[in-house]
Each structure stands twice: as C-alpha cells, then as structure tokens.
Amino acid sequence: MKLGIVGLPNVGKSTLFNAITNANAQAANYPFCTIEPNTGIVPVPDTRVDWLTELYHPKKSTYATVEFVDIAGLVRGASKGEGLGNRFLSHIREVDALVHVVRCFEDGNVVHVDGKVDPERDMETISLELILADMETVQKRGEKARKMFKTGEKKYEVEAELADKVLKTLEAEKPARLCQLTAEEKEITDSWFLLTDKPVIYAANIAEDQVSEDPAALPLVQKVLSKAKEENAEVVVISAQIEQEIAALPEDEKQLFLDELGIRHSGLDNLIHASYRILGLISFLTVGEDECRAWTIKKGFKAPQAAGKIHTDFERGFIRAEIVAFDALKEQGSMARCREKGLVRSEGKDYVMQDGDVTLFRFNV
C-alpha cells in the first residue's frame, strides 16, 4: 500500500511525514521545501501479531507495511506547470491513495500560501488542479479513440463515449471517482491513471491544544467534514505536532502519553485504519516457530490468491487452507485446543478470506 501525502505548502505535510516515518524530511516555513518526494515505510500496528508473538515466540515477527510518500506542496496553476506542478502530478500517479493534509490551525508564525487559513478553499484548490490535469488526460484519450474509428473496432467507439462521460463529471468540477461507471468502464479508466480517481483521506491538521476537544465542534474541522461528505471521502483529525512528539517517545511511554491527552489511538493508527477501509484491504495471519506475520490482501480475495501473496508456488499448487479465526484462537489459547474444539476449518479454492484468518496453506508443486 502506497499513500501519497499531498496538500498546499505549509499545511504540515512534511511534519506529519516525519512523525509517522521518523525520516526527518526537511520541514521549513516556506513553499516548495519538499522538492523530490521523501518516502518512508512504516509497520502497520497490529495487536494480533503482538499476541501471536507471545504465543509462538518466533525467530521474527513481521507486520504489514505502508509506504508513505511526501509529495511537494501544490499551488494554483500546477496543472499548467506552475510551481513544481508537472513533477508533483507525476508522483501522484504512482500512489494507491492520497492523504490530503488540510490546515485547520491558526499560527501567525507559519505563513499560509494564500495569506489566510480556509480549509474549504484549500481543498478546492488542490481538487481543481487535479481535475484540470485529468481533463487534459481524458480529452487526449477521447481524441485518440476518435482517430481510430476508421479501424471499425467497437472498442474505440466505447472509449470515446466513456471519455465524454468522464469529462462531463470533471467539467462539473467533480473528481472522476464520483462518475458512475460499470465494471467494464472502470477497467478502461483504470488504465488512464486519473489523479482524481484515487481514493482520498482528508487529514485535518489541528493545533496541539485542540487534540482533547471534540473535532466536530472545531469550526475549521467542520468545513473539512462537510466538504468530504460531498465526496464520500474519509476524514482523520490529526495534530502533526503531537504525532511528532509521540514518535520521539519510547514504545512503552507512547500509550501513557495518549492516555494523558485523553486520546484512544494515535493519528497514525487512525490514518492507517482509514487507508485500509478506503482501499478495501484486510489482513490474514500466518504463524510458526520461524515467523508470525500479517499479510495484506484485497477484501474478496479467495484462498489461492491469498496463498499467492506468500509465494506463487503456493497459489499454483494450492490444495487447501487450514483456517481458524484469530478471536477463536485467542479465546482458546492454543492451536491444539482449537483443533480439539473443531474450530480449525479446512477450506478449498472458493473460500473467501476474512480479516484475521490464521492460516496454514497446503500445496503441492
């Protein structure tokens, strides 16, 4: 999973990136501090892996991971090459989803590129630039398809009509992901790599002294929630500064710090969980003396596809999967006890994997 962190300059993108990856990306009080995208890979917190590690004492424990990419701040005109526009847009095409950081704090010491903090305007600025870039892409696709009409192939007529359909959505200043498409149409537009077709999580970046407040009661956050609702987008309220303080603490002190603030989960945890939801991802687990590990797959994957995540031979020679739900294993305390209780199931090729399945694949190549 690859998430691109985007936003206007000076909204807290690089501060948030530093906090969640401990990568110390350059963060300064002027536009275009980030030029080349910084990347960092972080483990996905998973208490199930922690518990299994205590049970099996493996040689190593491996968590699922998320790659974060800190992309340069965007300004008006980026779709036409303003600022670092073209480079910015090319980096966005490479990610699975966008984390759009929106400034929801006032601070006279941190300049705003437009002179005043206004989350709704900031969200629209970036959205519009991505829409304009996509309009150019879609128009070119339509023109190319029309030139191919002379071949007589039906697919070019279908593609031209689809380009017109998506263009109408974009011209209404709506992202491509809101265009109602059939599965066949979606397969075509996926090959266009549209920027506004990517899922978005809005990260409302609030001040340190606001973290204990009800986010919905904060006027600037309300604007983000309202705008995101129109797009069916996720919102995570986060304080990049607080996240940076959490990141600097030893592991055993982090939860104490959160408890003092009256926060149940860190912003990073909430962000990762939101990412899994919008991308339709789940995790299954494998256990043993060598390794306890979480594997990320798409929701709806069948057992052979999940096996293929471990090794292509597992999918090619799949026989069956022996599965027990993590909650059942935790309740019983051991795999042997689960077998005694008949909780370990033998599943075939048509089994749809569930989040938290503790799995042993049987295969023969």
Side-chain angles (χ1 to χ4, degrees):
M1 179 163 56
K2 193 172 185 179
L3 304 177
I5 303 178
V6 302
L8 289 169
N10 297 342
V11 296
K13 289 187 300 74
S14 294
T15 302
L16 178 60
F17 176 82
N18 287 338
I20 59 185
T21 65
N22 287 319
N24 294 316
Q26 189 181 14
N29 186 20
Y30 54 89
F32 308 126
C33 175
T34 306
I35 298 175
E36 289 301 322
N38 299 293
T39 62
I41 297 176
V42 299
V44 175
D46 195 329
T47 55
R48 297 172 301 189
V49 176
D50 298 336
W51 187 86
L52 291 169
T53 299
E54 288 294 316
L55 180 65
Y56 283 90
H57 304 290
K59 293 174 184 175
K60 68 174 181 176
S61 300
T62 306
Y63 297 80
T65 58
V66 178
E67 181 177 356
F68 285 95
V69 183
D70 179 22
I71 300 170
L74 183 64
V75 293
R76 281 190 187 85
S79 58
K80 303 298 180 186
E82 291 294 324
L84 299 168
N86 292 332
R87 292 164 76 181
F88 172 93
L89 299 174
S90 69
H91 296 317
I92 290 179
R93 293 191 198 282
E94 298 169 6
V95 302
D96 300 311
L98 299 177
V99 177
H100 181 170
V101 182
V102 185
R103 181 169 166 178
C104 293
F105 65 89
E106 300 279 0
D107 187 338
N109 296 317
V110 180
V111 298
H112 190 287
V113 71
D114 285 328
K116 182 184 176 184
V117 176
D118 183 342
E120 192 171 9
R121 179 207 57 215
D122 292 354
M123 293 165 79
E124 289 174 351
T125 294
I126 287 198
S127 180
L128 183 57
E129 290 305 323
L130 301 184
I131 285 169
L132 290 170
D134 278 350
M135 284 174 65
E136 186 176 345
T137 299
V138 172
Q139 285 168 343
K140 286 179 179 177
R141 286 285 180 172
E143 290 166 7
K144 185 177 179 182
R146 287 184 176 86
K147 286 179 182 176
M148 299 300 289
F149 277 5
K150 57 179 178 280
T151 66
E153 288 192 57
K154 178 71 175 175
K155 67 176 183 178
Y156 295 116
E157 188 178 330
V158 170
E159 189 163 341
E161 289 175 359
L162 179 57
D164 290 341
K165 181 178 179 178
V166 176
L167 194 58
K168 282 183 181 178
T169 298
L170 296 170
E171 286 175 339
E173 297 188 358
K174 293 180 180 178
R177 62 182 172 275
L178 295 186
C179 186
Q180 298 296 315
L181 302 175
T182 65
E184 292 77 13
E185 288 174 332
K186 186 71 173 68
E187 191 174 338
I188 295 171
T189 58
D190 282 348
S191 70
W192 297 353
F193 298 103
L194 299 178
L195 304 174
T196 63
D197 202 25
K198 296 181 184 296
V200 174
I201 302 168
Y202 289 105
N205 187 16
I206 61 175
E208 293 174 74
D209 58 3
Q210 295 178 313
V211 293
S212 299
E213 297 182 40
D214 176 11
L218 300 172
L220 295 178
V221 174
Q222 285 176 357
K223 289 188 174 185
V224 177
L225 292 168
S226 176
K227 185 72 176 168
K229 189 176 181 180
E230 295 174 13
E231 302 177 14
N232 297 320
E234 291 263 358
V235 177
V236 172
V237 180
I238 200 166
S239 169
Q241 288 292 344
I242 288 291
E243 292 301 313
Q244 206 162 35
E245 290 178 36
I246 293 171
L249 293 172
E251 281 299 320
D252 58 349
E253 293 181 22
K254 288 181 180 179
Q255 190 57 52
L256 290 172
F257 183 66
L258 291 173
D259 292 342
E260 286 176 14
L261 292 172
I263 303 173
R264 192 174 174 190
H265 300 291
S266 72
L268 172 59
D269 288 355
N270 293 334
L271 187 57
I272 289 174
H273 290 148
S275 304
Y276 267 67
R277 284 195 300 273
I278 65 167
L279 289 171
L281 302 175
I282 61 172
S283 293
F284 73 91
L285 306 152
T286 54
V287 298
E289 293 180 1
D290 288 334
E291 182 182 40
C292 287
R293 180 164 182 166
W295 302 83
T296 301
I297 56 172
K298 279 276 188 184
K299 195 178 291 184
F301 262 30
K302 292 185 178 180
Q305 290 174 286
K309 285 286 288 184
I310 299 174
H311 198 286
T312 52
D313 284 351
F314 284 28
E315 181 173 8
R316 188 159 53 92
F318 179 89
I319 299 173
R320 68 180 185 277
E322 294 178 7
I323 291 173
V324 60
F326 171 80
D327 289 343
L329 176 57
K330 187 175 181 180
E331 184 180 335
Q332 297 301 320
S334 73
M335 191 66 78
R337 185 75 175 150
C338 287
R339 290 187 188 280
E340 288 174 15
K341 292 275 189 177
L343 298 172
V344 179
R345 312 184 311 275
S346 181
E347 301 287 0
K349 293 182 177 181
D350 292 329
Y351 175 72
V352 177
M353 299 293 291
Q354 301 298 309
D355 188 51
D357 278 348
V358 180
T359 310
L360 173 64
F361 292 110
R362 299 291 185 184
F363 70 102
N364 182 32
V365 177

